[in-house]
């Protein structure tokens, strides 16, 4: 990692120099799984996440990390996304954090989280974790989650409702 990147990441996050060095070493390994190009592409990301095929959950995480939508995650994106997830980002407003986490659950990218979006995300998350969960249990979880939110006329959760309710819960995400 060059000095300019180190300085930028030190200013943007609360990670220590040693933590950045360790992340850089891990990033170098991850970004060279398929091609040594200092970028983690979708295939490398899926491989690291131990998933194959189509995974809505892993794709959503990839989109969160690939902040510039270039199709690859560079080291700065890698660190700043980890900082967001670990609440170690200095320069990211709470509104931006809410927007980024909202996008994870908005599986179809239409600006709202529908019951179908959440169900897809949960099933994908469980499958990515090699967990078998009965469809009836997923349905109950979705219904219980939706009861906590103010819904749009379409019966979905918009960013405003998500922002009001998701971050009042101790997990801070949903």
């Amino acid at each position: 990692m060059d000095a300019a990147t180190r300085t930028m990441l030190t200013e943007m996050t609360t990670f220590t120099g040693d933590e950045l060095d360790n992340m850089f070493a891990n990033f170098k390994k991850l970004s060279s799984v398929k091609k040594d190009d200092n970028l983690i592409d979708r295939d490398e990301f899926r491989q690291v996440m131990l998933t194959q095929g189509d995974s809505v959950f892993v794709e959503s995480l990839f989109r969160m990390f690939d902040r510039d939508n270039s199709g690859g995650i560079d080291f700065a994106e890698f660190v700043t996304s980890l900082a967001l997830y670990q609440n170690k980002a200095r320069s990211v407003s709470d509104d931006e954090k809410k927007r980024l986490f909202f996008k994870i659950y908005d599986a179809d990218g239409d600006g709202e989280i529908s019951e179908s979006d959440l169900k897809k995300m949960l099933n994908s998350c469980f499958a990515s974790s090699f967990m078998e969960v009965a469809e009836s249990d997923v349905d109950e979880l979705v219904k219980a989650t939706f009861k906590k939110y103010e819904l749009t006329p379409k019966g979905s959760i918009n960013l405003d409702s998500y922002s009001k309710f998701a971050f009042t819960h101790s997990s801070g995400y949903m």
Side-chain angles (χ1 to χ4, degrees):
M1 151 179 41
D2 62 46
T5 300
R6 181 191 257 315
T7 300
M8 176 192 70
L9 293 173
T10 301
E11 291 172 359
M12 293 177 66
T13 72
T14 60
F15 290 123
T16 66
D18 286 343
E19 288 172 320
L20 290 172
D21 290 340
N22 288 333
M23 281 188 259
F24 187 70
N26 286 326
F27 177 82
K28 291 295 289 175
K29 290 176 193 171
L30 300 175
S31 67
S32 63
V33 168
K34 296 250 179 188
K35 184 166 80 170
D36 192 2
D37 58 358
N38 290 320
L39 291 172
I40 299 172
D41 65 26
R42 275 181 172 79
D43 290 335
E44 288 169 325
F45 193 79
R46 272 190 217 105
Q47 190 170 349
V48 168
M49 297 295 292
L50 301 175
T51 61
Q52 294 185 358
D54 183 32
S55 171
V56 175
F57 173 66
V58 172
E59 181 60 29
S60 291
L61 284 178
F62 182 83
R63 283 194 319 264
M64 183 184 122
F65 275 77
D66 182 19
R67 309 242 341 247
D68 66 1
N69 299 313
S70 66
I73 302 165
D74 64 27
F75 183 61
E77 289 173 319
F78 182 74
V79 171
T80 56
S81 295
L82 288 174
L84 277 171
Y85 199 71
Q86 296 177 11
N87 205 23
K88 289 189 167 216
R90 291 184 205 263
S91 60
V92 180
S93 69
D94 286 343
D95 287 341
E96 178 67 6
K97 290 176 191 175
K98 291 172 185 176
R99 188 185 66 72
L100 288 168
F101 285 111
F102 176 84
K103 283 176 60 175
I104 290 174
Y105 294 102
D106 180 14
D108 60 12
D110 69 352
E112 294 187 348
I113 302 169
S114 65
E115 286 189 15
S116 175
D117 285 335
L118 185 55
K119 188 173 178 176
K120 283 179 197 170
M121 188 57 59
L122 289 171
N123 281 325
S124 180
C125 184
F126 293 141
S128 294
S129 303
F130 305 102
M131 294 174 61
E132 291 185 27
V133 179
E135 203 63 30
S136 60
D137 291 337
V138 173
D139 290 339
E140 284 183 42
L141 183 56
V142 169
K143 287 185 189 333
T145 301
F146 268 68
K147 284 181 183 176
K148 297 187 309 185
Y149 290 86
E150 292 174 9
L151 303 179
T152 68
K154 294 183 348 186
S156 297
I157 300 168
N158 63 18
L159 178 59
D160 185 50
S161 179
Y162 176 81
S163 296
K164 285 180 194 172
F165 295 99
F167 284 77
T168 60
H169 186 271
S170 62
S171 72
Y173 306 123
M174 191 81 191

